[in-house]
Amino acid sequence: MGKNLRGQESQDQRLDPLSPYVRKVRVALGMSRDKTQSFRKWFRDGHVLDIGCGHGDRITPPMTPYGIELSTELHRIADKRMRAAGGFCLHGAGAEAIWDFEAGMFDGIVMNSYLEHEVDAMGVLKGAHRALKPHGGVFIRVPNYGSLNRRVIGPTWCGFRYPDHVNYFTLDTLTNLAMRAGFTTQLINRITRPVDDNISVLLRKAAP
């Protein structure tokens, strides 16, 4: 088993030669994938909605977790976990279920490895704009179609997932989509973004 895993790891490194170096840069700069402390700062320990929340363990107290999950089994797990922390999880598609929450309900909304799967990306962003408080923010992490790694690797790049991924974003296309939904965009992984396989941004409501 160990030999097979090492073999697979070596193969993955050949397919994605820049990814290990990007990970080293993240570690050196203290750029953890765990965004809990950033969420607490950005969202003021308030009500936070995680769209495509899986098991529902991404948002933790003192934040109050809410979620949307399409999988019946994962929704059951997430809803139980979130209710124990004062929130709840809705079962359904993100672009539809987000409209079931009250307007101005959330201090923060998280779309981590979600928007690339959403066939109605504009619909969910407009729903997020409605559901967000004036000071709130939306964290989005998606595969970076504009990365150097994608250009080097080509068709076997790790960000290509057929047929699961229906959207492929560059920073420019993601920023344009957010602007049309009423948001400004702040790039989070500014230093590593050119060679990073992902784009991480924080959206805020644009001034009226």
Side-chain angles (χ1 to χ4, degrees):
M1 178 65 75
K3 183 178 180 179
N4 290 339
L5 288 174
R6 286 194 296 271
Q8 181 63 50
E9 183 178 272
S10 298
Q11 181 181 13
D12 290 343
Q13 289 173 348
R14 287 196 299 271
L15 294 177
D16 273 343
L18 295 178
S19 295
Y21 298 102
V22 173
R23 284 193 290 271
K24 289 180 181 178
V25 171
R26 283 203 200 97
V27 171
L29 295 174
M31 300 173 68
S32 172
R33 288 187 183 275
D34 182 358
K35 288 291 187 289
T36 300
Q37 294 307 313
S38 295
F39 291 161
R40 292 191 61 191
K41 179 179 69 174
W42 295 334
F43 307 147
R44 305 183 182 184
D45 283 344
H47 291 196
V48 181
L49 172 65
D50 187 357
I51 305 179
C53 64
H55 291 89
D57 54 0
R58 189 176 289 118
I59 308 302
T60 57
M63 296 177 287
T64 304
Y66 296 82
I68 300 173
E69 176 52 49
L70 185 61
S71 163
T72 300
E73 178 59 19
L74 290 178
H75 164 260
R76 182 188 64 79
I77 296 169
D79 188 53
K80 181 178 180 180
R81 174 175 280 143
M82 290 179 176
R83 287 185 184 276
F88 59 85
C89 182
L90 295 183
H91 179 232
E96 298 173 3
I98 194 168
W99 297 91
D100 293 333
F101 292 104
E102 296 179 6
M105 181 172 175
F106 296 111
D107 299 273
I109 296 174
V110 173
M111 303 183 191
N112 189 81
S113 301
Y114 158 76
L115 201 59
E116 63 269 28
H117 298 270
E118 177 54 70
V119 295
D120 187 8
M122 177 58 74
V124 76
L125 285 180
K126 286 184 175 179
H129 192 279
R130 170 189 169 275
L132 204 62
K133 294 178 181 178
H135 66 261
V138 180
F139 174 76
I140 296 176
R141 180 176 179 268
V142 292
N144 178 14
Y145 187 78
S147 71
L148 177 61
N149 209 17
R150 195 271 306 171
R151 295 187 181 97
V152 171
I153 298 303
T156 57
W157 176 56
C158 62
F160 287 131
R161 303 281 178 84
Y162 305 107
D164 294 341
H165 290 184
V166 296
N167 300 306
Y168 289 91
F169 295 102
T170 65
L171 179 59
D172 286 343
T173 59
L174 183 58
T175 299
N176 180 265
L177 179 70
M179 179 185 67
R180 290 187 286 120
F183 292 104
T184 62
T185 301
Q186 174 189 348
L187 179 63
I188 301 302
N189 59 330
R190 178 177 55 85
I191 296 175
T192 61
R193 192 264 304 178
V195 294
D196 201 328
D197 288 319
N198 295 283
I199 303 170
S200 296
V201 297
L202 182 66
L203 309 185
R204 297 286 189 184
K205 285 188 172 183

